Amino acid sequence: MQPPPQTPPFLRGEIEGVHWLVSVWLRNLEEVEETVERWASDLPPEGFWWVPAAQANPIGGLVRHIAGSSYRLLLRGLGQEIPEGLRLRPPEELAPTGEPPSSVLEVFTSRMGEIKAALRRLQDQDLQRIVRVGPHEVRAVYVLDHIGAHAQHHAGQIITTRKLWEAQKG
């Protein structure tokens, strides 16, 4: 007998005690975390850092980028400056490093925990605050909403890259 299928995050409903919109974002991030767990956590280093083609990114780089960019978006959405050491450009963050996959995944899990904890504390007035991103000024809600959208975009790339890795192995 097979276990019943797990309810996808978007059908799990509101998270008690948080703003309803933040609850939506937290469910989106749960989906990203579950995607990374399913498609990246059991890869050997050569699969984790494999680059399928020029202009493509390795799974390890995508995992690092999701964690880093999500955190930077959170800071911007909170109206905070990004510390110098975290100001990486996507090509730097996405590049293969050969780090042990467990180290990259550990940082990802930790960073996602920090992001979700900060989001849980947000109230309506936090979402309405005007924040600056480069030359743009916008309500924080738009920047904070982009955390999940951007992360899911790259989570889809992780799935595709994993499938390509499996296909090329034969």
Side-chain angles (χ1 to χ4, degrees):
M1 189 163 127
Q2 292 190 5
Q6 182 177 356
T7 303
F10 77 97
L11 294 176
R12 294 179 193 160
E14 287 187 38
I15 297 171
E16 192 174 327
V18 298
H19 187 283
W20 69 269
L21 183 55
V22 172
S23 186
V24 172
W25 297 338
L26 292 171
R27 293 298 188 204
N28 288 336
L29 293 178
E30 282 178 23
E31 185 170 353
V32 169
E33 290 174 306
E34 291 171 16
T35 297
V36 168
E37 173 65 27
R38 177 173 178 201
W39 295 94
S41 67
D42 64 342
L43 276 168
E46 59 271 14
F48 197 73
W49 294 112
W50 177 70
V51 178
Q55 305 299 316
N57 301 303
I59 289 172
L62 291 164
V63 171
R64 284 184 28 205
H65 181 61
I66 291 169
S69 62
S70 296
Y71 189 68
R72 288 188 296 274
L73 285 166
L74 172 71
L75 293 176
R76 288 290 190 210
L78 297 176
Q80 298 176 17
E81 286 298 315
I82 298 170
E84 189 63 40
L86 298 179
R87 292 183 188 186
L88 295 176
R89 293 276 179 226
E92 297 169 74
E93 203 162 52
L94 289 161
T97 65
E99 294 173 74
S102 59
S103 298
V104 175
L105 292 165
E106 188 177 305
V107 170
F108 170 82
T109 300
S110 174
R111 195 57 94 187
M112 295 306 281
E114 292 175 57
I115 293 163
K116 292 187 307 182
L119 289 174
R120 284 178 178 276
R121 293 188 292 271
L122 297 177
Q123 299 298 316
D124 196 58
Q125 66 271 16
D126 301 311
L127 306 180
Q128 298 303 323
R129 178 186 315 116
I130 301 295
V131 297
R132 187 169 197 77
V133 179
H136 308 282
E137 288 187 350
V138 65
R139 289 197 192 278
V141 67
Y142 293 100
V143 176
L144 297 167
D145 180 71
H146 193 59
I147 295 170
H150 181 261
Q152 286 189 335
H153 168 84
H154 288 301
Q157 291 176 327
I158 289 170
I159 294 169
T160 302
T161 304
R162 174 63 184 258
K163 288 180 178 183
L164 290 171
W165 165 253
E166 296 297 334
Q168 65 86 34
K169 286 188 345 181

